[in-house]
Amino acid sequence: ASDDPQAHAAGVAYLEYCVDTAVALGANIVGGPLYGAPLVFAGRAPTPASDALRLPRVERVVAGLKRAGRHAADHGVRLAVEPLNRFETDFASSTLQGIDLVRGVDSPAVGLMLDTFHMNMEDGDLALAITRAAPHLVHFQANENHRGFVGTGHVDWTGVARALVR
């Protein structure tokens, strides 16, 4: 997401290195917050970024993921972008923001990784968010709202499971 051309190029090169490492390990998915370092709020409190701040960063991330996505596709690897909650990033916090990001990349090698821990804070209806993300879903992490064992918190696992089966 960096506006520094060297830092941006280094980020893309790092993703390409991650793809190469995945291939060497026999893995076919590289996932996480592939748009930048979490917990970096550019000297301001962790609050939602205005569109004027966020949208140019989105354009840079889309361009970088297109490049890294081509490398991933050439090597049979998929990149899985993970939206993180607003306390960890101000870039792609909700499932809808993640969907918009991967749609902008428009590559079968770039999709979404969803984590119910983060979704619990950002998506009002987890089942609906999963259903909307389904065409882009590469990987899914089942975590309770407090990171405890599944079933010990308040996540609607029946709704989540039904959405995943659809």
Side-chain angles (χ1 to χ4, degrees):
S2 178
D3 60 356
D4 175 343
Q6 289 181 327
H8 180 74
V12 173
Y14 176 72
L15 289 178
E16 291 171 342
Y17 168 77
C18 290
V19 167
D20 296 340
T21 301
V23 170
L25 294 171
N28 59 7
I29 297 173
V30 171
L34 305 180
Y35 39 81
L39 300 173
V40 176
F41 293 98
R44 56 188 167 68
T47 56
S50 68
D51 281 348
L53 177 63
R54 199 175 83 75
L55 293 178
R57 291 167 62 206
V58 169
E59 290 174 13
R60 291 189 296 271
V61 168
V62 165
L65 285 174
K66 283 184 179 193
R67 275 192 47 212
R70 283 190 294 274
H71 186 73
D74 290 345
H75 291 84
V77 172
R78 295 190 71 198
L79 300 177
V81 178
E82 180 181 16
L84 300 179
N85 70 73
R86 73 190 92 163
F87 303 105
E88 296 186 39
T89 186
D90 63 356
F91 185 78
S93 297
S94 69
T95 299
L96 285 178
Q97 286 176 333
I99 291 169
D100 286 345
L101 182 62
V102 299
R103 281 184 178 158
V105 176
D106 191 28
S107 166
V110 180
L112 283 177
M113 174 167 61
L114 296 180
D115 179 336
T116 52
F117 172 77
H118 298 291
M119 294 175 73
N120 172 70
M121 289 182 257
E122 303 301 334
D123 297 303
D125 184 332
L126 273 61
L128 179 60
I130 292 166
T131 300
R132 287 179 174 158
H136 311 285
L137 197 56
V138 173
H139 185 72
F140 186 81
Q141 297 175 351
N143 289 294
E144 197 52 80
N145 61 288
H146 50 57
R147 290 264 197 231
F149 293 109
V150 170
T152 63
H154 65 246
V155 171
D156 172 18
W157 292 110
T158 302
V160 166
R162 286 183 177 145
L164 288 169
V165 169
R166 288 186 199 148

